Amino acid sequence: GKKLGYTFNNRNFHNVSLGQGQEVVAEQALDLAAKEGHWVILQNIHLVAKWLSSLEKKLEQHSEGSHQDFRVFISAEPAPSPDSHIIPQGILENSIKITNEAPTGMHANLHKALDNFNQDTLEMCTRENEFKSILFALCYFHALVAERRKFGPQGWNRSYPFNAGDLTISVNVLYNYLEASSKVPYDDLRYLFGEIMYGGHITDDWDRRLCRTYLEEFIKPEMLEGELLLAPGFPLPGNMDYNGYHQYIDDALPPESPYLYGLHPNAEIGFLTQTSEKLFRTVLEMQPRDASTGEGGVVTREEMVKALLEEVLEKLMDEFNIAELMAKVEERTPYTVVAFQECERMNILTSEIKRSLKELDLGLKGELTMTSDMENLQNALFLDTVPESWIKRAYPSAASLGTWFADLLTRIKELEAWTGDFSLPSAVWLAGFFNPQSFLTAIMQSTARKNEWPLDKMTLQCDVTKKNREDFASPPREGAYVHGFFMEGARWDAQTGIITDARLKELTPAMPVIFIKAIPADKQDIRSMYPCPVYKTRQRGPTYVWTFNLKTRENPSKWVLAGVALLLQI
C-alpha cells in the first residue's frame, strides 16, 4: 500500500481468523482500529453466523466519526446453496465485493497447474526427461480432476476438494523417488498419487477407480517413447523449458470439449440441461403465488392445490392387506419375502400421502389450524415438487410431482399384479422396487437353495438379450428377466452384444431385457468385461444398487473415463 502513503507494520494491521470464540477479539480490534485508523481483516466470517448481526451493528456504529484511514476487509467461503446465504444485507450493500473465481476449462486450469512450478523446479532432478514428462502428465491430471466436477455425477459421484497442495506434494514425492531408484517405479508412483495424495480425498469406490484409471493411462513406460496421448489430439510434450511448456499448451491443446476428459459430448448436454432446469426452477419459486387463467379470471393458489389434492386422493389405491396376502402363500420363497417387504414399504408411503392430504384439506376448509408442515405441503403441490414427508418414506427420485405420482401408480400396479398369485412376472421391472438389491439378492438365494450352493461363493451373471419386455411370455427356469435399464455415457449395441459409443443427443438410451442368473463366483468370465455400476437415478452416488459385468471389445478403461453407468430411472 505504498501508493496511498500507507505503510504496513504489525501495530496498525489486525488479522482475525474467526471461529473458536474469536468474536470478542474481532470486536476489540474494530473499536481500536476505528479510533486509530488501522486496517482490520476478518477471515472466514461464514463460520460465525450468529455473530454477523452484531458485526453489522458494529460497522454501522463506526461508519460515522471514525478515523479516515480505518478499513475493514472481510472474507468468506461461497455458500453451497442459496438457503445458506447468511451474510446480512447491510454488510453486502455497504461493501465493495470481490470474488475469486476458479479458472474454468482445461486451458486455464492446465496453465494454472503449471504455474505452481518454475524453471528451477524443472532443473532440480538429475533424471530430467522422466521428471519433466511425469510432472507435465501430473499437471494435466490435476487440471482434469478439478474441472471434471462440472459434469455433475457423471464426472464424479461426489465433489472433492482437490487443491494445489496435492499437486506440489506429488511432485516432491516424484522427485524423491526418482533420485532414489535406478528405474522409474511407475506402480509405486501411481499408488502414491492415486490412493494417497489425491485418493486421500476420495470416499467413493467408483471415484477411486476413475482416479486410478486416469493415472494408469497417463503414467506408464510408454510416456518416454513419445507416443502417449493425454487426450485425443494432445500428445504428451517432449523435453522443453518452463516457458516452452506454457507455449505448448497454447499451441497444441484442442478447444474445450468433453473429449479432453475422456467423456462423450453428450455429458455436456446433460450438465447444461440440468443447469438451465435449476435456473427455471428458481425463477418459478420466485413467481407470485396466484396464477391467472386466459379468461382474465384468477385461479387462486388454494383452488389449484385443492384440485390437485382431490385428484391424488381419488387415484390412490387402497393399502395392501398384508395378512390376507400372507394367507394365500403356501411357501415363503426369497421372492415372496421381497414382495411382502415392498408391500409394507408401499403402505407406509401411501398412508402418509393420504394422511397429509386429508389434514391439508381440513386446513384449507378452515376446520384445522394451518401448521408449517401443511404450509410446506401446499407449497410443494403448487410448485409441482414432491413434498418432504413423502420423499422421506419413498425411494430416490429426481422427478417433478406429476411424473412422480404417475410413476408411483405404475409401481403399485406392478406390485398388485405380482401379489395376485405370487408367480414371478415374465419380466421384472427392477426400477419399481423400493429396494432393488433385495430382489437381486433373492435371485442368488433361490438358486443357492435349489442347488445347495453356499451363498457367499456366488455372484450374478447378466446376459443382455436382444428382446424387449413384450417378447417374454414366462420367466426363465432359473434367475429372472429384468427390464427398465438405461445406459448413460455410452450405448448397448444389441446386434453385436457389446458396449459402444453413444449417438449424439441420445443421452440415456434404453437397454434390452437383461437375463440375470446366479452362478458360482469362480465360474464367471471377467475377460473383456466392463464392471458397470447400476444406480437408481442420475444423481448416482448413494443410489448405487449393484455391479453388472458388460461385454466390451474396447479397453474397459475407456468406459471408466466416460463415466458409463446403468440407471433405473431417468
Side-chain angles (χ1 to χ4, degrees), residues 1 33 40 42 86 91 242 250 260 273 307 332 402 421 485 540 550:
V40 180
L42 302 176
I86 51 171
I91 295 181
Y242 182 70
D250 286 338
L260 297 180
T273 309
R332 296 199 59 158
D421 60 354
F485 294 90
R540 298 197 179 196
L550 298 178

Side-chain angles (χ1 to χ4, degrees), residues 241-427:
D241 66 2
Y242 182 70
N243 294 334
Y245 283 123
H246 276 298
Q247 189 60 49
Y248 178 76
I249 297 169
D250 286 338
D251 296 344
L253 186 68
E256 181 67 18
S257 85
Y259 287 126
L260 297 180
Y261 307 83
L263 288 157
H264 187 276
N266 284 349
E268 193 161 45
I269 301 174
F271 115 81
L272 291 172
T273 309
Q274 278 161 346
T275 311
S276 52
E277 276 171 3
K278 206 163 166 188
L279 174 68
F280 288 132
R281 160 83 40 213
T282 311
V283 171
L284 177 67
E285 285 170 5
M286 292 161 73
Q287 291 287 4
R289 296 302 193 193
D290 281 341
S292 61
T293 57
E295 285 74 59
V298 171
V299 179
T300 65
R301 184 157 167 249
E302 271 81 11
E303 283 165 4
M304 268 182 74
V305 168
K306 200 149 173 21
L308 185 59
L309 177 153
E310 282 164 3
E311 186 193 349
V312 170
L313 283 172
E314 182 193 330
K315 286 186 176 167
L316 206 55
M317 297 80 157
D318 290 336
E319 268 118 72
F320 289 95
N321 185 332
I322 308 261
E324 209 174 88
L325 291 174
M326 281 191 168
K328 284 202 313 204
V329 173
E330 285 121 40
E331 64 161 328
R332 296 199 59 158
T333 67
Y335 293 127
T336 53
V337 173
V338 172
F340 286 133
Q341 285 169 349
E342 290 291 320
C343 291
E344 277 164 12
R345 295 275 303 261
M346 189 56 85
N347 284 353
I348 292 168
L349 173 58
T350 53
S351 65
E352 169 58 23
I353 294 176
K354 286 177 188 163
R355 184 205 65 76
S356 58
L357 289 176
K358 284 174 181 161
E359 181 183 69
L360 176 60
D361 194 27
L362 294 172
L364 293 173
K365 286 177 178 156
E367 293 172 29
L368 272 181
T369 315
M370 288 289 273
T371 61
S372 65
D373 283 351
M374 289 147 82
E375 281 286 341
N376 292 341
L377 175 59
Q378 186 179 3
N379 279 339
L381 295 177
F382 181 72
L383 292 169
D384 193 31
T385 59
V386 185
E388 194 55 47
S389 75
W390 305 3
I391 290 174
K392 272 199 199 113
R393 292 163 178 81
Y395 27 80
S397 169
S400 61
L401 179 58
T403 318
W404 183 88
F405 186 62
D407 175 70
L408 172 74
L409 296 180
T410 314
R411 286 167 184 256
I412 296 174
K413 281 200 188 77
E414 289 275 321
L415 258 183
E416 279 178 343
W418 188 11
T419 51
D421 60 354
F422 283 101
S423 65
L424 198 60
S426 53

Side-chain angles (χ1 to χ4, degrees), residues 9-196:
N9 64 44
N10 291 337
R11 285 196 307 284
N12 53 21
F13 183 68
H14 309 272
N15 190 354
V16 184
S17 187
L18 287 152
Q20 288 113 22
Q22 293 292 303
E23 296 90 337
V24 179
V25 179
E27 289 184 15
Q28 290 166 347
L30 288 165
D31 292 342
L32 176 65
K35 201 164 94 213
E36 303 289 337
H38 296 171
W39 288 15
V40 180
I41 293 185
L42 302 176
Q43 294 184 38
N44 299 329
I45 62 160
H46 59 282
L47 298 175
V48 285
K50 290 194 173 66
W51 177 69
L52 294 179
S53 55
S54 319
L55 173 64
E56 184 178 15
K57 289 193 191 88
K58 178 73 67 184
L59 292 172
E60 203 173 311
Q61 178 192 327
H62 288 313
S63 63
E64 285 168 17
S66 59
H67 195 292
Q68 64 173 25
D69 287 338
F70 170 52
R71 298 282 184 279
V72 181
F73 300 85
I74 298 173
S75 77
E77 297 234 331
S81 62
D83 47 345
S84 38
H85 288 171
I86 51 171
I87 297 173
Q89 197 77 20
I91 295 181
L92 290 172
E93 283 172 357
N94 295 315
S95 58
I96 296 169
K97 288 166 286 298
I98 299 170
T99 59
N100 179 10
E101 295 266 337
T104 59
M106 274 308 279
H107 194 269
N109 268 289
L110 188 48
H111 278 302
K112 190 183 175 201
L114 200 52
D115 287 341
N116 289 296
F117 310 105
N118 53 36
Q119 185 59 31
D120 292 345
T121 324
L122 296 184
E123 288 170 5
M124 73 185 193
C125 186
T126 48
R127 311 190 43 198
E128 192 186 339
N129 237 349
E130 293 94 331
F131 181 69
K132 285 179 168 181
S133 288
I134 297 176
L135 183 140
F136 192 90
L138 272 174
C139 287
Y140 191 84
F141 169 74
H142 178 80
L144 191 142
V145 295
E147 195 58 11
R148 191 178 164 110
R149 281 188 292 227
K150 71 180 180 191
F151 296 101
Q154 198 179 345
W156 293 103
N157 267 336
R158 295 184 169 86
S159 195
Y160 302 110
F162 299 122
N163 57 58
D166 300 326
L167 177 60
T168 50
I169 291 170
S170 294
V171 169
N172 286 341
V173 168
L174 168 66
Y175 167 74
N176 292 333
Y177 265 70
L178 287 182
E179 291 292 335
S181 53
S182 58
K183 24 187 237 287
V184 181
Y186 290 103
D187 291 351
D188 296 359
L189 290 172
R190 281 198 304 262
Y191 184 84
L192 288 161
F193 305 150
E195 303 291 334
I196 298 170

